[in-house]
């Protein structure tokens, strides 16, 4: 028993020393921990109260932006679709070999999608720039740029590329709203293995922007991770592709603009006036004290 007590006391001493002397091991105070219980039957709004940013418009009116998180599908009028804009250059692959394929968990499997797409030859026809506007279902899936739709497969297709644009939903350009709406812009894989496949794993986050008039605009941000590998077909041939595998986040981000209430303006004016009078009183007191001291000095000299 004496040995057990001794070990416990040593353990408590070590815990106490770590907690009080080494900030690396110190525990966060209880008020730093917040727990959310989200019931999924109805949309739940988890407002980020500290994230409020005040600004002024061109007319000088004060307004603030409130950021919120909640569980919901905000754009219910979209018919379960998300618009996609893709712009990618493959400088070493002929345009007749480049195609777009779309797959998802609802059973969609489209090879060689051509609607609302355009191929622009590069490098005297040796390369191709693919620009496409298409829609995907709001379920996990992928779309990929490949040679799968070509009449004859090339021997050594070169999948080095540069991504100029990949965005989802409407274009959202709002001052001071910085998000990952085009996270893959400028992705350069020209120095990678020409025969390698590229996987871009995307997590799409619905985003809503509501201006002061109450008008809402819907867009999507996304996070991305990528990997590069060499893939072989069942025949042993290397058939590379550029894959964009996506899934949707259940959390929606909402930016809301609100005008500052009138009482905030009145409070600010009162604070400014009060501060002005306070400073004026301090200056008056200093001047009066200095003048009285000067008078006493002058009287002392005269005597």
């Amino acid at each position: 028993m004496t040995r057990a007590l001794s070990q416990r006391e040593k353990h408590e001493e070590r815990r106490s020393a770590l907690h009080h002397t080494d900030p690396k091991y110190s525990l966060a105070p209880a008020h730093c921990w917040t727990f959310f219980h989200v019931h999924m039957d109805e949309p739940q709004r988890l407002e980020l109260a500290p994230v409020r940013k005040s600004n002024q418009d061109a007319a000088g009116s004060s307004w603030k932006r409130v950021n919120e998180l909640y569980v919901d599908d905000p754009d219910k009028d979209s018919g379960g679709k998300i618009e996609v804009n893709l712009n990618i250059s493959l400088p070493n692959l002929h345009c007749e070999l480049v195609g777009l394929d779309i797959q998802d968990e609802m059973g969609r499997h489209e090879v060689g999608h051509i609607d609302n797409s355009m191929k622009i030859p590069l490098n005297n026809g040796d390369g191709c720039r693919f620009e496409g506007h298409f829609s995907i279902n709001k379920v996990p899936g992928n779309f990929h740029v490949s040679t799968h739709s070509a009449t004859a497969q090339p021997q050594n297709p070169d999948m080095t590329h540069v991504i100029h644009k990949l965005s989802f939903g409407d274009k959202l350009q709002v001052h001071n709203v910085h998000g990952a709406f085009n996270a893959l812009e400028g992705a350069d894989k020209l120095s990678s293995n020409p025969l390698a496949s590229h996987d871009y794993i995307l997590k799409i986050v619905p985003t809503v922007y509501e201006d002061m008039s109450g008008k809402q605009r819907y867009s999507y941000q996304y996070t991305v991770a990528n990997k590069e590998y060499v893939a072989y077909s069942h025949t042993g041939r290397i058939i590379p592709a550029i894959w964009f595998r996506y899934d949707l986040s259940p959390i929606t981000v909402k930016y809301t603009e609100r005008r500052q209430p009138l009482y905030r303006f009145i409070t600010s004016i009162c604070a400014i006036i009060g501060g002005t009078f306070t400073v004026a009183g301090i200056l008056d007191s200093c001047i009066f004290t200095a003048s009285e001291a000067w008078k006493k000095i002058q009287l002392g000299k005269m005597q």
Side-chain angles (χ1 to χ4, degrees):
M1 179 63 73
T2 304
R3 180 180 179 83
L5 288 174
S6 176
Q7 293 290 341
R8 187 178 306 153
E9 288 173 355
K10 290 181 180 179
H11 179 65
E12 291 296 332
E13 287 179 0
R14 285 197 296 267
R15 285 188 58 190
S16 177
L18 288 175
H19 181 72
H20 292 292
T21 62
D22 193 343
K24 182 172 66 175
Y25 295 100
S26 61
L27 300 177
H31 66 268
C32 290
W33 296 89
T34 306
F35 298 90
F36 295 103
H37 175 73
V38 181
H39 186 62
M40 297 295 290
D41 291 341
E42 297 180 358
Q44 300 292 321
R45 296 177 180 269
L46 308 181
E47 184 170 337
L48 302 180
V51 187
R52 286 180 165 85
K53 195 169 185 178
S54 298
N55 295 277
Q56 285 190 340
D57 56 21
S61 301
S62 181
W63 56 275
K64 66 179 179 179
R65 185 187 305 115
V66 179
N67 302 343
E68 298 175 281
L69 298 179
Y70 58 94
V71 180
D72 192 15
D73 178 11
D75 191 10
K76 297 182 176 63
D77 298 329
S78 63
K81 303 284 187 180
I82 299 176
E83 298 298 319
V84 184
N85 292 283
L86 176 63
N87 189 332
I88 183 171
S89 291
L90 297 93
N92 301 308
L93 194 64
H94 294 278
C95 280
E96 61 267 18
L97 300 175
V98 176
L100 177 70
D101 310 326
I102 307 172
Q103 296 174 287
D104 63 33
E105 292 187 359
M106 291 182 67
R108 181 181 183 182
H109 190 179
E110 188 174 349
V111 179
H113 179 88
I114 58 174
D115 294 338
N116 299 317
S117 63
M118 180 171 54
K119 300 177 185 179
I120 304 171
L122 300 175
N123 300 334
N124 298 320
D126 292 334
C128 186
R129 179 167 180 155
F130 178 86
E131 298 180 7
H133 179 80
F134 55 96
S135 62
I136 57 175
N137 296 315
K138 290 183 178 180
V139 295
N142 74 78
F143 52 91
H144 51 277
V145 177
S146 68
T147 61
H148 299 166
S149 60
T151 305
Q153 293 296 317
Q155 289 297 322
N156 296 304
D158 188 334
M159 282 294 166
T160 56
H161 62 277
V162 177
I163 300 175
H164 306 290
K165 182 179 182 180
L166 177 60
S167 62
F168 299 88
D170 297 336
K171 187 176 182 180
L172 185 62
Q173 285 188 336
V174 181
H175 184 60
N176 286 333
V177 173
H178 304 290
F181 296 99
N182 190 13
L184 278 173
E185 180 182 14
D188 188 335
K189 298 296 181 180
L190 296 179
S191 60
S192 61
N193 183 354
L195 296 177
S197 291
H198 301 267
D199 259 14
Y200 294 98
I201 298 124
L202 315 175
K203 192 72 171 181
I204 302 175
V205 182
T207 304
V208 183
Y209 182 83
E210 182 177 321
D211 59 23
M212 286 180 284
S213 65
K215 181 181 178 181
Q216 292 186 341
R217 281 177 280 176
Y218 303 98
S219 188
Y220 296 86
Q221 304 181 62
Y222 62 93
T223 59
V224 60
N226 70 286
K227 63 180 179 179
E228 180 181 326
Y229 58 95
V230 176
Y232 294 86
S233 67
H234 62 281
T235 61
R237 292 184 58 188
I238 299 176
I239 305 180
I242 304 169
W243 298 81
F244 300 92
R245 307 181 191 273
Y246 62 87
D247 194 4
L248 273 78
S249 169
I251 301 296
T252 295
V253 177
K254 183 177 182 181
Y255 304 99
T256 306
E257 282 188 2
R258 297 176 184 170
R259 289 197 178 277
Q260 294 281 14
L262 181 61
Y263 72 84
R264 288 276 184 94
F265 174 74
I266 296 174
T267 303
S268 299
I269 294 298
C270 292
I272 293 171
I273 295 173
T276 303
F277 275 101
T278 301
V279 173
I282 293 172
L283 292 175
D284 180 69
S285 176
C286 292
I287 293 171
F288 177 77
T289 303
S291 64
E292 289 296 317
W294 179 254
K295 287 179 182 179
K296 290 180 180 179
I297 293 172
Q298 292 296 325
L299 289 174
K301 287 183 178 180
M302 292 175 65
Q303 292 176 356

